[in-house]
Amino acid sequence: MRTRHRITLAALLLFALAARAYASDDSSVTGMVADSSGKPVGNATVTLQNASGKAMATVQTDANGHFTLAHVDPGSYAIVVSAPGFASGSSIATITPAQQNPVSIVLAKSDTLDVQVNAQRLNRARNDLLPETGSSVYRFSQSDISDLPAGQNTPLNQVLLQAPGVASDSFGQLHVRGDHANLQYRINGIIIPEPISGFGQSLDTRIIDQMNLLTGALPAQYGYRTAGIVDIRTKTGDDGSGGSIDVFGGSHQTIRTSGDVFGSRGPFSYYFSGAIGENNLGIENPTSSASPLHDHTREGNAFGYMSYIINPLTRVSVMFGVASNQFQIPNTPGLTPSFALNGVNSFDSSQLNETQSELNQFAAIALQGTNGGALDYQLAFVTRYSRTQFNPDPIGDLLFNGVASKDFHSDTANGLQFDTTYRLNDKHTIRAGVFAQQEHAVFDNDLTVFPVDENGNQSSDQPLNIPDASSKTGYLYSAYVQDEWKATSKLTINYGLRYDKMDEYVSASQLSPRVGVVYALTPSTTVHAGYARYFTPPAFELVSNADIARFAGTTAQVNGQNDPVQPERSHYFDLGITQQITPALSVGLDAYYKKSTNLLDEGQFGTALIFTPFNYQYGRVYGVELTTNYRQGNVSAYANVALSRAQGKNINSAQFNFDADELAYISNHWVYLDHDQRVSASIGGTYTFGQTTFTVDSIVGSGLRSGFANTDRLPWYTQVNLGVIHHFNFNNPLLGKFDGRLLLINAFNRVYELRDGSGIGVGAPQYGPRIAVYAGITRSF
């Protein structure tokens, strides 16, 4: 009996084990995957995960959304489902032995995911419209700008000063590779017509996601303004919603409040930013004192970008910008009046009350698309309105200058731009485009002057009034075609032709060949070279056809010729090499030479702080640049040094602005341009320790030109700026995450002079900023 009992128990145990094994093999999960409307989702990936998150099995749904996961051990599991165009879904399933365990999972349509993928595709297509082959490129990312001592409160011109070959001048002017201004700004690939020159910056640094400065021998895509292309790609709301608020202030009673907001709603995305502020150092101090007299400034700007994805391959976008600035013109105390005014016995020059207001507005609409493979395009219409008004001190300007001129300039530009890229095959990418612009300038000046005798001496203390108004409409046209040829795996050649025509104060045109070469000498060494023929019209909004004869016999009279300002024509050669020494360290060396006919320059000749173009019959500009960049872990650094020469000979337009002896000298001698600076350098870097970043940037210059016919130059100068940024993270929801920033401008309080009031086309002295302390708080949400 005992033996029979043992046999029976063993049989029962074997039966139980077999039943368990059979039940395990027979357990399964079946289910249905559908969208929120109940429509089946086919080809969805269904993954079975155990309690530790390990994937135990994966299947695909059929065309009816059904799936089956067979031979599943009993227990609790997560069923995770993913499908293109949908947000992932999941469900918890408890598996029982020898059973089919049904589940049903509903997936939500992920429009956001589709929009992000489509936006990225369209951004790549748009950016590919802008070639860089053969040119020199310096890049600024959003994080690079944030790491500057003033971060996004750094004016755009001061950000660009950190690039090689960029020299600083008074009134916020920049000179790139020995050219006076001559910068072209593009936002998201669209050319923004230049505004009337002034003191304020038209674009806010805050809007930048990525900025590239292209110099050298540029591809045929780029024309008119060619010293440098400032290519700005703005922030968008494609990748999510959020924003920030920033308060910044400190020395010179500076206070600035700014903010931005971004987001998306299905295929629609948006980005808006704005800032308002004031300070007592809007224009460079004409004296070496720590605080200028009469220099209060109010500034405001706004920017908006909106896009709508019509379909996965097509997008329409709209953007706009406005900058409104009000400046007091700083005074120099202790000046002695040069003229007599009836009823006025004395006047304190520190009490002069000159002001200037500036308004710049632009808007653009673009249709941009791709076929997903061979063809990309963008068609854009852009409009810009710019105005500047100088208000004199009606008494003081007469006493010190003999002229009190109320100057109003406005300019309206409308342009149409079309760019396209066609990938013919793996070796050839064809790019072509056209551009047309109409511009209408208005000059409305009202001068108060004194009469003079035949020797030019004041003959009466009773002033006269002379109105001076004119207007002009001008046109620009251009077309280009180019081929980017990948000759070998190492060699790329971009060659093309560009045609430009202007019909403004003069009519002229030019056919310009371009060629650029990039050769990967080794995996870490790249050589580039290029040649470009350039055609540069004078800034239409600055050229005036005023009748100078009407000022004869007054203190505003001028003598000499007034030949029309011509477009500059030049040959440009560029050669450079970049070396990736280590993964963290790169070095670049670049040399350039430009030979010009009718070289363009600008100067301030009147009492209003508005520039006037003129030509040198012959011009030559050449130089060399060295760049270094280091980035590893929590340390980054850069150093750029540039040597340059910019010279001209024989002024052959707007000659009445110059003294006869200076004109005679320049007609027979090569002279340095007033913005020539032999050495320009920029150095900076960051070090991050925990949640704190220490940052520094500095500029060094050998001094701009001065004296008779620019035969002298100002002394060397250096400015060092220091900053510290701390990232706070509080659990308190009211505080949350925010950045605090403290910075020191001109940390060593070096007194330096940008201009001394002498030189060709230089109106008044200007000094660099003295030591100043600022702080800011940025709260993101």
Side-chain angles (χ1 to χ4, degrees), residues 76 139 166 333 347 402 426 479 501 620 656 677-678 706 723 775 778:
S76 294
R139 307 185 192 280
V166 183
F347 194 96
D426 291 341
K501 178 176 174 57
R620 59 190 182 195
F656 69 89
Q677 184 166 263
R678 182 176 302 174
S706 62
T778 303

Side-chain angles (χ1 to χ4, degrees), residues 32-34 41 43-49 59 61 65 67 78-84 86-91 103-107:
M32 167 78 174
V33 178
V41 178
N43 201 36
T45 300
V46 182
T47 303
L48 183 75
Q49 296 180 351
V59 296
T61 61
F67 69 91
I79 311 296
V80 180
V81 182
S82 62
F86 292 86
S88 61
S90 63
S91 178
V103 295
S104 181
I105 300 174
V106 177
L107 297 183

Side-chain angles (χ1 to χ4, degrees), residues 238-434:
D238 294 333
D239 296 327
S241 300
S244 66
I245 297 176
D246 182 281
V247 178
F248 180 84
S251 299
H252 305 292
Q253 297 184 25
T254 298
I255 183 66
R256 187 174 193 263
T257 303
S258 56
D260 57 11
V261 61
F262 55 87
S264 61
R265 296 289 185 272
F268 173 74
S269 68
Y270 59 89
Y271 173 81
F272 300 106
S273 74
I276 56 172
E278 59 182 311
N279 61 75
N280 287 334
L281 186 59
I283 302 175
E284 290 88 351
N285 194 344
T287 73
S288 60
S289 64
S291 298
L293 298 173
H294 192 258
D295 201 5
H296 188 71
T297 297
R298 299 192 306 273
E299 300 174 292
N301 64 72
F303 175 82
Y305 174 81
M306 295 167 285
S307 69
Y308 183 84
I309 297 178
I310 301 172
N311 59 54
L313 301 178
T314 311
R315 171 173 60 186
V316 62
S317 61
V318 175
M319 65 178 174
F320 66 86
V322 58
S324 179
N325 307 309
Q326 311 289 328
F327 297 93
Q328 290 180 337
I329 310 301
N331 296 330
T332 302
L335 299 180
T336 302
S338 301
F339 299 87
L341 176 63
N342 182 44
V344 179
N345 297 320
S346 64
F347 194 96
D348 184 355
S349 62
S350 67
Q351 301 302 310
L352 278 167
N353 186 27
E354 298 173 330
T355 63
Q356 184 155 310
S357 61
E358 303 170 1
L359 176 67
N360 294 304
Q361 302 170 318
F362 71 87
I365 182 169
L367 178 67
Q368 183 245 323
T370 176
N371 67 357
L375 178 68
D376 305 325
Y377 66 88
Q378 179 163 271
L379 175 65
F381 171 79
V382 62
T383 183
R384 191 266 297 130
Y385 175 75
S386 177
R387 75 168 186 241
T388 297
Q389 180 164 319
F390 173 80
N391 300 302
D393 186 304
I395 296 176
D397 278 21
L398 278 173
L399 291 171
F400 292 102
N401 304 316
V403 178
S405 177
K406 184 176 182 179
D407 297 339
F408 175 85
H409 290 190
S410 71
D411 186 271
T412 303
N414 297 300
L416 191 67
Q417 177 185 345
F418 178 70
D419 299 290
T420 184
T421 295
Y422 182 73
R423 297 168 190 83
L424 189 63
N425 51 45
D426 291 341
K427 291 186 176 294
H428 293 276
T429 298
I430 308 299
R431 294 183 176 91
V434 295

Side-chain angles (χ1 to χ4, degrees), residues 386-687:
S386 177
R387 75 168 186 241
T388 297
Q389 180 164 319
F390 173 80
N391 300 302
D393 186 304
I395 296 176
D397 278 21
L398 278 173
L399 291 171
F400 292 102
N401 304 316
V403 178
S405 177
K406 184 176 182 179
D407 297 339
F408 175 85
H409 290 190
S410 71
D411 186 271
T412 303
N414 297 300
L416 191 67
Q417 177 185 345
F418 178 70
D419 299 290
T420 184
T421 295
Y422 182 73
R423 297 168 190 83
L424 189 63
N425 51 45
D426 291 341
K427 291 186 176 294
H428 293 276
T429 298
I430 308 299
R431 294 183 176 91
V434 295
F435 174 79
Q437 178 177 293
Q438 179 200 59
E439 202 163 357
H440 182 70
V442 174
F443 305 87
D444 189 359
N445 306 326
D446 189 14
L447 284 73
T448 304
V449 297
F450 291 117
V452 297
D453 58 24
E454 63 275 7
N455 296 317
N457 299 315
Q458 181 180 358
S459 59
S460 172
D461 61 4
Q462 294 286 351
L464 307 172
N465 181 260
I466 302 178
D468 178 27
S470 62
S471 64
K472 178 72 174 177
T473 300
Y475 301 88
L476 296 174
Y477 312 94
S478 67
Y480 70 90
V481 62
Q482 57 192 340
D483 175 24
E484 187 174 78
W485 173 31
K486 297 186 183 299
T488 70
S489 60
K490 295 183 177 182
L491 176 64
T492 301
I493 303 172
N494 192 86
Y495 59 95
L497 281 175
R498 180 182 180 91
Y499 175 77
D500 294 300
K501 178 176 174 57
M502 61 175 288
D503 185 7
E504 298 181 334
Y505 289 96
V506 300
S507 295
S509 62
Q510 180 173 290
L511 185 65
S512 305
R514 308 276 182 91
V515 61
V517 177
V518 175
Y519 183 70
L521 193 62
T522 71
S524 59
T525 307
T526 302
V527 177
H528 73 264
Y531 162 77
R533 179 85 164 124
Y534 287 149
F535 176 84
T536 306
F540 180 74
E541 71 278 4
L542 300 181
V543 181
S544 174
N545 60 352
D547 180 11
I548 62 176
R550 71 174 60 194
F551 306 122
T554 73
T555 45
Q557 72 180 1
V558 292
N559 299 308
Q561 295 176 258
N562 186 23
D563 291 332
V565 184
Q566 300 290 329
E568 178 181 327
R569 304 172 189 266
S570 59
H571 299 274
Y572 199 107
F573 303 88
D574 185 89
L575 176 64
I577 184 171
T578 58
Q579 176 69 47
Q580 194 72 40
I581 297 177
T582 71
L585 177 63
S586 63
V587 176
L589 185 66
D590 204 275
Y592 60 91
Y593 176 80
K594 184 177 82 165
K595 180 181 179 181
S596 300
T597 303
N598 293 325
L599 182 145
L600 279 169
D601 200 357
E602 295 175 6
Q604 181 208 334
F605 300 104
T607 54
L609 300 184
I610 300 173
F611 294 95
T612 301
F614 62 94
N615 296 109
Y616 290 91
Q617 184 177 1
Y618 309 105
R620 59 190 182 195
V621 181
Y622 53 93
V624 62
E625 298 169 351
L626 174 66
T627 65
T628 60
N629 285 277
Y630 178 84
R631 188 182 299 273
Q632 185 169 22
N634 60 343
V635 177
S636 68
Y638 64 89
N640 306 306
V641 180
L643 308 177
S644 74
R645 285 286 186 276
Q647 295 177 302
K649 182 179 179 181
N650 189 32
I651 293 173
N652 61 350
S653 66
Q655 299 94 329
F656 69 89
N657 291 297
F658 303 89
D659 293 334
D661 54 347
E662 200 167 41
L663 273 178
Y665 180 86
I666 298 170
S667 67
N668 295 309
H669 296 82
W670 285 94
V671 298
Y672 290 102
L673 308 186
D674 69 282
H675 54 267
D676 173 83
Q677 184 166 263
R678 182 176 302 174
V679 180
S680 302
S682 58
I683 305 167
T686 64
Y687 172 74

